[in-house]
Amino acid sequence: MKKQLLTGNEAIARGVYEAGCRVAAAYPGTPSTEILENLSGYPEIYSEWAPNEKVALEVAGGAAIAGARAFCSMKHVGLNVAADPLFTIAYTGITGGLVINTSDEPGMHSSQNEQDNRYYARHAKVPLVVPSDSQQCIDFTKEAFRISETYDTAVLLRTTTRVCHSKSLVTMNPREDVPQRAYSKDLKKNLMTPGNSRPKHHEVEARLESLAEYAEKSPLNYIEGNSREIGIITQGIAYQYAREVFGDRASYLYIGFSFPLPKQMIRSFASGVKQLIVIEENEPFLEDELKKMGIPCMGKDRLPLCDELSVSIVANAFRDILGDSPLTIRSASEGLPPRPPALCPGCPHRGIFHVLSQQKDAVFSTDIGCYTLGAFPPLNVGDFLFCMGSSISAGIGFRRADISYGREDRKVYAVIGDSTFFHSGMTGLADVVYNRTPLVTVILDNRITAMTGHQHNPGTGCTLMGEKAKEIDIPTLVKALGVEEDHIRVINPNNLKACREAVQSAQEAKNPFVIITKAPCALLPEVKKRSAKNWFAVDPDICTGCKACLNIGCPAIRMREKKAYIDKDLCAACGVCFQVCSFKAISMGRKQR
Amino acid sequence: MAHKRDTTSIMLAGVGGQGTILAAKVLSEGLTRMGYDVKMSEIHGMSQRGGSVTSHVRFGSRVDSPVIPLGGADCLCGFEKLEALRCLPYLKQEGVLIVNDLEIYPLPVLIGAAEYPQDVLQRLTREAEGCLILDAHGEAEQLGTSRVENILLLGALIHRLDLDGFPWKEVLQDLVKPAFVEMNLEAFALGRSLA
Ligand SMILES: Cc1ncc(C[n+]2csc(CCOP(=O)(O)OP(=O)(O)O)c2C)c(N)n1
């Protein structure tokens, strides 16, 4: 069959398909999102966006108990959310194969922390599989399902950004037809109460021993024998960097199945080479094990713990051993202005943020989504943030601390997106109502999960597989949670007057108050189509150059010859600039097409 | 890397929304059809919101890292001037530099918190002799839409790298939406002739 160029994520989806998987669930998160998006193209697989990662893993876990091959996927921090089911699914085991993908983000290209989820495998006592390119993404995924069924365990598949988002050549195969395995009621296996879990823990330890035997013969662990001067133990993308730097001047032990470790294989590889090096990204997950085994090696004494590895970092770390001369690197790019991501022209978060930014003595507990970008100048709406869903609950804590010191005056606003509210904000709001904390919650409903590239969620009326769905109505939900009806405002965030009125009422409220802004993301095709015809323009004869319109941070507006100027191609005609101009210098025009 | 054999590395640098990803896709698909081992890497996510974007394309008989090392790019194609300058540390000493003579202001510049450097082209030409400067944006606009500036730049790049002898037309026809094929073919041909 002809070779094709696939990303790691496309390849994992392909592997899941070829393995005969039936049920797949995920919550989006960079760099894992495209796996489920690609799976949704295979009608043989029921695939869904779950409201969060815990739900996704439980859906997949239930399907596996029922005897189907099941899959779920998330970004690294998603596994923190799904950790609760993970640790106990590790006890129940499965009926049909269960593979859980975690996509880690060394370098944090779009994440809030850098955590190495290989440790989760050891902590939860489930096997760990680590691919280094797209072909391995297919092959290792399929092998992971086999391991899962042979050893009655969930399997953790761990990828990183560079594996997920890099393309390399693969060969595809047809889908395997996997019949449903018989489910039989067995409480000792599937219902974890203390009485059942105690013997289960012993079984889990015994299972690890069998898996350690498997590790020695697993096709995922292999040696690439070259020079015996240097031996390198590695896995994941680090293998590619090591291979580029050392080439045939080293032999490699690739650890694709890396928990439990193939200890005999490691010992015999180590004893066959003169110098041993462990090359891995972030934590010394493999290296620490070697040290415990009493095998001396180089590794984190030369390689960094923080940030991504690269060819250059590996080359520099071992230059004394290799004797290579360094590449010349130009230094002409110092002191350039950064180009951070920004809220798009027409973004519906801009109008309400502009109004919030004018509140004096207010604190903003923000959350994760496009609107996090509003924390930076010129809007400055955002003071602190932990993780998805933390805005409301952390806001409660901040407000309670203030109140206990008599600081009733400082208003605390929690700002949260629609997808994030469904993910883990609802429980925070239940706390607000239950404990009657005078917090203002602003739910920014842009009708989509925007930051990760437009995934549907329970509020959008469409499923991952493209079917029409019931829209969960946020105002109804908020009311049902117990927020007083006269303490709820539903507004269009592009209408600054409506924003001001709502924020004014919130400012005066003594009880829990919720503002729901409802306007679709400016990048949604139907919105782009509508806005494509119109734009706003500045009349340079009227403009005084006061720069009020620059304070909304719109990428379409800049100064040109001391007057404001709007880039017609970028303008999305939201009209927020028109509303902030006190000199009526901005007016709407139609683009001729 | 002294022993390093025959990997050729091409870096496309621009701003989210400029179409670097499509250009990289066409390039890597063509190279795959030529029978090379090919790897391509890019960063998604935040880049969609007007941030810097880079695509790395590498080909040869065997490619290891999908990411180009600093000082390792045989060709750097800057879809925007400032981004070309930002990525210059990736360009090999004797590497080919192609720059779109276009300024897109980053937010800190728009709100007056930073200045867009005035000497970008001078710095680029000083660093890379024979640097090709193109007004791809303007040329594409004359063809009907600035949206095809990406494919125009790709045409220039393919000519500069001597990869002309391949039916790129077929790749474009396969990867570009049918309604836009004609315009992209025109842009591609124009880019080639300007290089
Ligand atoms: C636990 C966890 N899961 C997933 C993500 C990835 N993620 C970041 S922002 C975001 C979507 C936010 O969507 P929404 O709240 O609707 O805001 P919008 O981007 O649309 O403004 C997701 C899924 C994350 N950071 N943490």
Side-chain angles (χ1 to χ4, degrees):
Chain A
M1 212 175 174
K2 202 173 95 270
K3 290 208 165 196
Q4 291 197 36
L5 206 51
L6 293 195
T7 62
N9 281 347
E10 289 166 341
I12 291 172
R14 182 70 200 182
V16 169
Y17 167 77
E18 289 181 9
C21 172
R22 294 283 174 150
V23 176
Y27 181 71
T30 313
S32 70
T33 312
E34 300 83 6
I35 300 176
L36 260 274
E37 288 179 332
N38 279 285
L39 273 182
S40 70
Y42 298 113
E44 298 91 333
I45 303 173
Y46 167 80
S47 56
E48 68 159 48
W49 288 131
N52 69 28
E53 293 86 350
K54 170 175 148 69
V55 175
L57 178 50
E58 289 157 352
V59 167
I65 294 285
R69 285 194 168 181
F71 174 77
C72 90
S73 176
M74 56 203 66
K75 72 183 282 159
H76 62 325
V77 286
L79 198 52
N80 302 336
V81 179
D84 200 6
L86 172 70
F87 279 68
T88 304
I89 286 174
Y91 277 30
T92 63
I94 48 91
T95 310
L98 174 60
V99 176
I100 302 160
N101 169 70
T102 164
S103 300
D104 295 3
E105 259 231 310
M108 298 171 275
H109 298 279
S110 18
S111 299
Q112 69 268 34
N113 77 358
E114 191 170 48
Q115 67 182 47
D116 190 331
N117 278 5
R118 292 178 297 172
Y119 289 110
Y120 262 115
R122 203 161 71 198
H123 198 178
K125 298 175 190 282
V126 294
L128 174 67
V129 166
V130 182
S132 75
D133 64 13
S134 299
Q135 186 65 59
Q136 288 190 342
C137 282
I138 297 187
D139 299 343
F140 286 21
T141 301
K142 287 159 77 175
E143 180 65 13
F145 278 105
R146 279 176 226 124
I147 298 167
S148 172
E149 289 175 356
T150 310
Y151 295 93
D152 186 11
T153 177
V155 176
L156 196 61
L157 175 70
R158 189 259 192 172
T159 50
T160 56
T161 307
R162 297 296 182 175
V163 171
C164 294
H165 284 171
S166 295
K167 289 189 179 183
S168 57
L169 295 169
V170 303
T171 311
M172 299 198 237
N173 284 293
R175 176 170 162 94
E176 200 184 322
D177 186 20
V178 183
Q180 184 172 19
R181 294 174 144 219
Y183 163 76
S184 54
K185 184 163 169 156
D186 180 354
L187 297 191
K188 284 195 161 54
K189 171 169 166 48
N190 293 326
L191 193 121
M192 289 301 101
T193 53
N196 290 344
S197 301
R198 271 181 220 114
K200 262 288 170 192
H201 188 184
H202 291 275
E203 278 180 39
V204 168
E205 298 302 331
R207 183 177 74 202
L208 286 179
E209 281 174 28
S210 317
L211 284 162
E213 281 167 32
Y214 163 81
E216 304 291 349
K217 54 177 205 274
S218 171
L220 311 189
N221 297 330
Y222 56 89
I223 291 171
E224 245 182 74
N226 300 304
S227 161
R228 289 171 162 256
E229 287 296 309
I230 302 171
I232 294 174
I233 297 182
T234 184
Q235 62 178 201
I237 197 69
Y239 162 74
Q240 306 291 356
Y241 302 149
R243 187 76 185 63
E244 178 143 343
V245 172
F246 288 85
D248 294 342
R249 296 177 293 178
S251 293
Y252 302 86
L253 170 56
Y254 189 88
I255 311 267
F257 183 84
S258 47
F259 182 77
L261 279 178
K263 289 190 178 166
Q264 289 169 27
M265 206 175 182
I266 290 172
R267 272 190 211 289
S268 87
F269 180 78
S271 63
V273 295
K274 274 201 190 140
Q275 300 190 76
L276 188 67
I277 307 176
V278 179
I279 299 185
E280 58 191 324
E281 215 164 25
N282 289 157
E283 301 297 320
F285 178 79
L286 298 173
E287 189 179 335
D288 282 352
E289 290 303 307
L290 260 72
K291 299 246 161 86
K292 272 197 246 163
M293 291 163 66
I295 302 174
C297 61
M298 288 176 268
K300 291 295 164 186
D301 52 336
R302 288 163 178 255
L303 293 168
L305 282 176
C306 303
D307 215 336
E308 282 193 291
L309 274 190
S310 67
V311 167
S312 317
I313 292 172
V314 174
N316 288 333
F318 298 100
R319 197 170 298 291
D320 56 333
I321 294 176
L322 288 171
D324 292 344
S325 47
L327 293 171
T328 328
I329 295 162
R330 300 164 206 264
S331 55
S333 329
E334 273 138 33
L336 300 183
R339 193 184 295 278
L343 294 179
C344 304
C347 176
H349 301 329
R350 179 170 286 108
I352 180 73
F353 274 19
H354 171 67
V355 171
L356 288 172
S357 72
Q358 293 172 329
Q359 298 310 300
K360 302 240 158 38
D361 205 19
V363 169
F364 300 102
S365 177
T366 190
D367 220 306
I368 304 195
C370 287
Y371 49 92
T372 315
L373 302 172
F376 303 106
L379 291 165
N380 304 311
V381 176
D383 288 86
F384 51 93
L385 162 63
F386 305 138
C387 60
M388 275 195 93
S390 69
S391 55
I392 301 177
S393 21
I396 295 172
F398 197 104
R399 188 78 167 121
R400 285 294 172 187
D402 265 4
I403 290 171
S404 83
Y405 283 103
R407 293 212 53 179
E408 306 272 349
D409 48 324
R410 181 156 62 184
K411 273 278 167 187
V412 180
Y413 289 81
V415 287
I416 184 166
D418 51 333
S419 187
T420 306
F421 183 66
F422 289 119
H423 177 279
S424 48
M426 296 190 302
T427 40
L429 192 57
D431 186 332
V432 168
V433 173
Y434 174 42
N435 292 302
R436 266 188 85 200
T437 301
L439 180 82
V440 184
T441 301
V442 184
I443 304 173
L444 306 157
D445 183 6
N446 61 353
R447 317 296 304 133
I448 203 77
T449 314
M451 180 94 259
T452 41
H454 286 181
Q455 291 76 33
H456 284 286
N457 68 46
T460 64
C462 187
T463 69
L464 171 61
M465 296 183 82
E467 276 158 20
K468 246 180 101 66
K470 184 154 178 69
E471 282 177 32
I472 298 182
D473 184 56
I474 295 177
T476 311
L477 184 60
V478 166
K479 215 182 305 167
L481 281 170
V483 179
E484 300 294 335
E485 203 161 351
D486 61 349
H487 278 56
I488 303 173
R489 296 285 182 282
V490 183
I491 57 167
N492 173 0
N494 294 324
N495 179 340
L496 297 189
K497 186 163 167 276
C499 291
R500 284 192 201 100
E501 282 167 10
V503 171
Q504 188 56 39
S505 310
Q507 197 72 21
E508 289 155 11
K510 298 273 178 286
N511 283 324
F513 199 96
V514 177
I515 299 171
I516 299 154
T517 67
K518 199 167 169 179
C521 169
L523 297 185
L524 284 169
E526 59 273 23
V527 182
K528 273 173 105 169
K529 215 162 135 195
R530 239 183 294 138
S531 66
K533 297 191 193 88
N534 304 323
W535 68 303
F536 282 83
V538 180
D539 184 337
D541 294 334
I542 306 177
C543 178
T544 62
C546 76
K547 298 189 181 170
C549 55
L550 290 190
N551 285 334
I552 62 174
C554 175
I557 310 176
R558 65 181 139 124
M559 295 304 284
R560 202 170 71 169
E561 287 153 16
K562 304 221 155 79
K563 309 277 180 173
Y565 169 77
I566 297 175
D567 186 327
K568 185 172 171 178
D569 289 336
L570 293 179
C571 177
C574 66
V576 171
C577 59
F578 160 77
Q579 295 168 74
V580 298
C581 179
S582 349
F583 301 95
K584 297 200 169 14
I586 298 177
S587 59
M588 187 150 96
R590 281 181 78 78
K591 295 181 186 173
Q592 308 114 323
R593 285 269 148 127
Chain B
M1 261 104 303
H3 69 289
K4 198 58 198 168
R5 339 67 5 183
D6 67 340
T7 298
T8 303
S9 303
I10 303 166
M11 185 168 194
L12 310 182
V15 177
Q18 277 196 296
T20 49
I21 290 175
L22 178 66
K25 202 168 163 182
V26 172
L27 179 60
S28 44
E29 177 61 26
L31 293 165
T32 304
R33 292 186 193 181
M34 285 182 197
Y36 288 111
D37 184 24
V38 178
K39 286 190 180 171
M40 170 183 153
S41 183
E42 59 207 9
I43 290 296
H44 310 216
M46 298 285 243
S47 55
Q48 272 186 325
R49 312 281 165 267
S52 309
V53 266
T54 57
S55 292
H56 302 226
V57 178
R58 310 188 80 194
F59 67 100
S61 57
R62 170 182 174 152
V63 181
D64 295 315
S65 164
V67 184
I68 302 171
L70 286 167
D74 297 275
C75 175
L76 168 63
C77 184
F79 282 49
E80 197 270 353
K81 286 196 300 204
L82 184 61
E83 295 313 307
L85 188 55
R86 199 188 305 286
C87 290
L88 206 57
Y90 283 93
L91 187 64
K92 270 187 191 163
Q93 273 329 80
E94 65 285 3
V96 173
L97 177 63
I98 301 171
V99 188
N100 187 7
D101 187 5
L102 174 72
E103 283 181 5
I104 300 177
Y105 286 177
L107 193 63
V109 173
L110 292 172
I111 64 172
E115 291 220 9
Y116 195 98
Q118 291 307 302
D119 58 347
V120 176
L121 284 185
Q122 286 93 306
R123 277 155 87 175
L124 288 171
T125 43
R126 203 185 318 132
E127 280 289 326
E129 246 176 84
C131 155
L132 173 65
I133 301 168
L134 280 176
D135 176 19
H137 195 81
E139 298 281 354
E141 237 163 26
Q142 292 200 347
L143 290 179
T145 167
S146 61
R147 302 274 299 275
V148 294
E149 70 182 321
N150 57 345
I151 300 302
L152 195 147
L153 286 163
L154 180 67
L157 182 152
I158 278 169
H159 186 69
R160 277 284 160 122
L161 290 181
D162 269 336
L163 294 168
D164 283 288
F166 177 79
W168 288 101
K169 191 173 162 183
E170 288 170 21
V171 185
L172 280 165
Q173 280 165 339
D174 290 348
L175 293 187
V176 173
K177 283 199 194 111
F180 303 115
V181 169
E182 232 13 78
M183 203 173 268
N184 276 288
L185 288 174
E186 268 180 58
F188 187 75
L190 181 61
R192 256 162 135 170
S193 68
L194 292 171

